[in-house]
Amino acid sequence: SVDRENVGPLMNTAILTALAAIHSKQVIHNDLARRNIVFALKQSTPSPQIIDFGQSEIVSSTSTVLLEEEYESVRKQLCGGFI
């Protein structure tokens, strides 16, 4: 069981982990916001799922700057009360 004060940081970590997985496939979401994150229950634990890839794009492996910019943007949102 997770206590309440740890839920936010755990969800933030899970969202960034999901974003890293997407980036590992060379995909940039381009519209990551609260409305594009839903929670599914996995073994009675909420698990964030990133949805709506309508504005996403596949980039070449040389486009790591774009991937890093999206990751940093999301990290700043999470630290600033994104969730």
Side-chain angles (χ1 to χ4, degrees), residues 3 6 15-16 23 28 55 64 67 72 75 78 80 82:
D3 59 68
N6 291 326
I15 291 166
L16 290 174
H23 287 172
I28 298 177
Q55 294 183 30
T64 55
L67 297 173
E72 183 63 21
R75 189 192 66 74
L78 291 172
F82 182 71

Side-chain angles (χ1 to χ4, degrees), residues 18-19 21-33 35-36 50-60 63 66-67 70:
L19 186 61
I22 292 165
H23 287 172
S24 74
K25 305 291 186 200
Q26 300 306 117
V27 174
I28 298 177
H29 189 278
N30 284 326
D31 189 28
L32 197 56
R35 68 183 178 277
N36 290 328
I50 298 173
I51 62 169
D52 189 2
F53 285 80
Q55 294 183 30
S56 67
E57 59 185 296
I58 298 173
V59 296
S60 70
S63 298
L66 292 174
L67 297 173
E70 182 175 60

